[in-house]
Amino acid sequence: MKTIFCKQKILIFALGLAGASILSGCKDKNEPQIVQPHDVVYEFGLNNFSAFQPYYYFVLTLDSAEVTNVILQSDEKSWEYFGVSKIKADIESEILSFVKPENMKKIKGRGTLYDVTINNQEDSAYLVNLGFKLKNIIYNQKQK
């Protein structure tokens, strides 16, 4: 009878020790979590700027100290031979008009804009400098 009682004491002690070691690994809920700097990607394309809406969240992303770059990712679909001036204007009005000047350096382009018409060399250079590639290009005859 004494042996059983002693074994129960040891079992309770062992379970208590195991429980304490398990609980010691739990993190405090109030302890701040460290977020590593990272990039955020927004995909867009012809008539597809919905990833940026509501704009409030897009602006919050840009304002975040943890966000290194905001990548404007091409959806890799055809632009149906829209001119680069129109594409640049769409990007500026649908996306960049909401960006604070101090956050403009975070904006990067990525991917290929397919089936575009180059009607303005400066606008095509702007898109390339932003980070986009242009493919299946038609050069407009009325270029200066």
Side-chain angles (χ1 to χ4, degrees):
M1 189 86 161
K2 227 178 186 184
T3 309
I4 295 173
F5 183 68
C6 187
K7 286 183 181 178
Q8 288 175 344
K9 276 186 171 180
I10 292 172
L11 181 61
I12 291 171
F13 175 74
L15 289 174
L17 186 60
S21 64
I22 290 171
L23 291 177
S24 69
C26 294
K27 292 185 179 181
D28 182 10
K29 290 181 183 178
N30 296 326
E31 185 178 311
Q33 300 297 318
I34 297 173
V35 178
Q36 296 295 323
H38 59 281
D39 292 345
V40 176
V41 178
Y42 286 90
E43 188 177 78
F44 78 102
L46 176 66
N47 299 320
N48 181 16
F49 289 86
S50 61
F52 302 95
Q53 297 173 356
Y55 295 111
Y56 175 75
Y57 294 117
F58 175 64
V59 172
L60 282 178
T61 301
L62 281 164
D63 287 340
S64 173
E66 290 87 18
V67 174
T68 308
N69 295 303
V70 173
I71 309 295
L72 309 179
Q73 173 69 47
S74 169
D75 65 4
E76 304 289 325
K77 295 179 182 172
S78 174
W79 279 83
E80 300 175 7
Y81 296 102
F82 272 77
V84 291
S85 298
K86 169 79 169 116
I87 296 169
K88 178 187 174 198
D90 285 351
I91 289 172
E92 287 179 337
S93 67
E94 296 290 331
I95 302 168
L96 301 181
S97 63
F98 298 96
V99 178
K100 295 176 187 172
E102 61 268 20
N103 288 331
M104 286 300 286
K105 65 184 179 295
K106 289 185 173 184
I107 301 288
K108 310 283 187 231
R110 183 169 68 192
T112 304
L113 304 175
Y114 287 93
D115 306 329
V116 297
T117 300
I118 294 183
N119 50 359
N120 183 310
Q121 290 293 338
E122 291 83 23
D123 291 343
S124 61
Y126 172 85
L127 293 172
V128 169
N129 289 334
L130 198 58
F132 294 109
K133 296 175 188 153
L134 306 176
K135 207 163 199 177
N136 297 342
I137 301 168
I138 292 181
Y139 291 93
N140 191 339
Q141 302 295 350
K142 297 179 183 178
Q143 290 187 49
K144 293 181 181 179

